[in-house]
Amino acid sequence: MGCVEVKKMNVIKEMIIVSCWIVVGAATLWGANRAGFLAPEYKNGSLATRKVDFPEVYQIWKKREAIFVDARPVSAFQQGHIPGAINVPVNNIEQALSALPVDRHVRLITYCGSIECPNSYQLMRALLGYGYRRGEFFTRGVRGWVAVGYPLEKGD
C-alpha cells in the first residue's frame, strides 16, 4: 500500500469513529428512550403512528375520538391551545406523564406551534416509548388550527 492509500484509510477510520461518537453523544444528551428513538413502531401491528391533518383532525376533535396533547411549553399552552388538550411539554415529559390517561390504548394526537415545529412528532414518539399504543401527530399545530378559524382555549 502506498502512502496516499494509507492516509485515505486513516481518514475513513477517523470519520467512522467521529460519526459513532456523534450518535452516542446525541443519544446520551437527548435520552434515547425519552426522545422516542427506542419506541417500537409497527406498520401493520397494534401500534398506529401517523400524521393527521385537516379536515380529519377537526372531526376527531369534534367527536372527542382522541385526546389532544400539546407539546409546547406551559406558557405557550396557557396563551391558547386546542380546547380540551392536555399539556405535556416535550422538554418535561416525565413530570407531565401523570396528566395522561393510565390506559395505554387511548388514542393520542400530539401537536405543537406550527408546521415548522418538530415537537409534536418527538412527543408522539416518546409517548410510544412510554407504552402508549396509538400515537398520532398534527403537524400544523396551533397556528394551523387558528388559521382555519377553529376555537382556542386559554389558561390551564
Side-chain angles (χ1 to χ4, degrees):
M1 238 188 227
C3 184
V4 173
E5 286 95 16
V6 170
K7 286 183 181 180
K8 284 182 182 179
M9 292 298 292
N10 285 338
V11 168
I12 291 171
K13 285 179 189 177
E14 288 176 14
M15 288 174 55
I16 291 171
I17 290 170
V18 168
S19 297
C20 289
W21 278 113
I22 289 172
V23 169
V24 168
T28 302
L29 178 66
W30 295 328
N33 196 34
R34 281 193 345 214
F37 298 130
L38 302 179
E41 184 173 354
Y42 302 101
K43 297 289 182 197
N44 298 316
S46 61
L47 297 183
T49 60
R50 65 186 185 101
K51 181 169 55 171
V52 291
D53 207 346
F54 299 122
E56 179 187 17
V57 72
Y58 181 72
Q59 293 304 317
I60 293 168
W61 172 80
K62 192 174 172 181
K63 294 176 183 176
R64 298 178 185 205
E65 295 175 344
I67 295 174
F68 284 73
V69 185
D70 192 315
R72 299 174 303 149
V74 174
S75 60
F77 178 81
Q78 290 174 342
Q79 290 176 8
H81 55 272
I82 294 175
I86 296 171
N87 187 218
V88 179
V90 75
N91 64 347
N92 200 15
I93 296 170
E94 289 179 10
Q95 288 75 17
L97 276 177
S98 62
L100 292 173
V102 176
D103 178 8
R104 298 294 203 241
H105 294 284
V106 68
R107 185 178 185 186
L108 300 175
I109 297 178
T110 61
Y111 70 91
C112 55
S114 69
I115 202 160
E116 293 89 20
C117 176
N119 292 354
S120 62
Y121 178 75
Q122 291 171 351
L123 178 59
M124 180 268 307
R125 295 285 299 155
L127 292 175
L128 289 175
Y130 283 107
Y132 285 92
R133 310 290 291 172
R134 297 177 66 200
E136 301 172 61
F137 58 104
F138 171 52
T139 59
R140 295 182 192 246
V142 171
R143 285 189 196 148
W145 186 265
V146 170
V148 295
Y150 296 150
L152 281 185
E153 182 175 76
K154 294 188 184 231
D156 289 339

